[in-house]
Amino acid sequence: MAESARESAQKARNASRKLQALATEERVAMLNRVADALLAKESEIMAENSKDVEEAGDKISQSLLQRLVLKPQKIQQLADGIRAIAAEEEPIRRVMSRME
């Protein structure tokens, strides 16, 4: 049975709390592992994406279909973006701005 949006949101919130409880080094290492996995599994991701695009076929508009298509450079961009987040200063438990 498909998961409801509410259930997905609750799971995401719970996962977020678990991530917040980790040490900075653990979060950084985890993000880097995600980036590594994206690149290591690029061919599998691309193959599954091709299947998704083929299955979507005439069921969705051409403009939406074009957004569904992944290109190899997109996987690299995603990995680079994840690494950039990992390299940023730790925002958890830090006040970013205040309003009076």
Side-chain angles (χ1 to χ4, degrees), residues 7-61:
E7 290 168 329
S8 293
Q10 288 172 333
K11 285 182 179 180
R13 183 182 314 154
N14 291 338
S16 171
R17 289 181 178 142
K18 288 178 184 177
L19 286 172
Q20 288 175 16
L22 294 175
T24 298
E25 297 79 20
E26 291 175 291
R27 273 191 299 281
V28 168
M30 187 179 300
L31 287 168
N32 285 319
R33 284 194 305 271
V34 168
D36 292 342
L38 274 172
L39 295 175
K41 301 286 187 176
E42 181 178 342
S43 60
E44 291 174 49
I45 293 168
M46 297 302 292
E48 291 301 318
N49 179 251
S50 291
K51 290 177 190 176
D52 291 342
V53 169
E54 187 176 322
E55 187 177 313
D58 296 332
K59 298 175 187 172
I60 61 175
S61 69

Side-chain angles (χ1 to χ4, degrees), residues 75-95:
I75 303 287
Q76 182 65 55
Q77 288 174 344
L78 290 169
D80 290 345
I82 291 168
R83 289 188 202 289
I85 291 168
E88 289 180 0
E89 187 176 345
E90 177 66 73
I92 296 176
R93 291 182 284 282
R94 203 177 97 219
V95 176

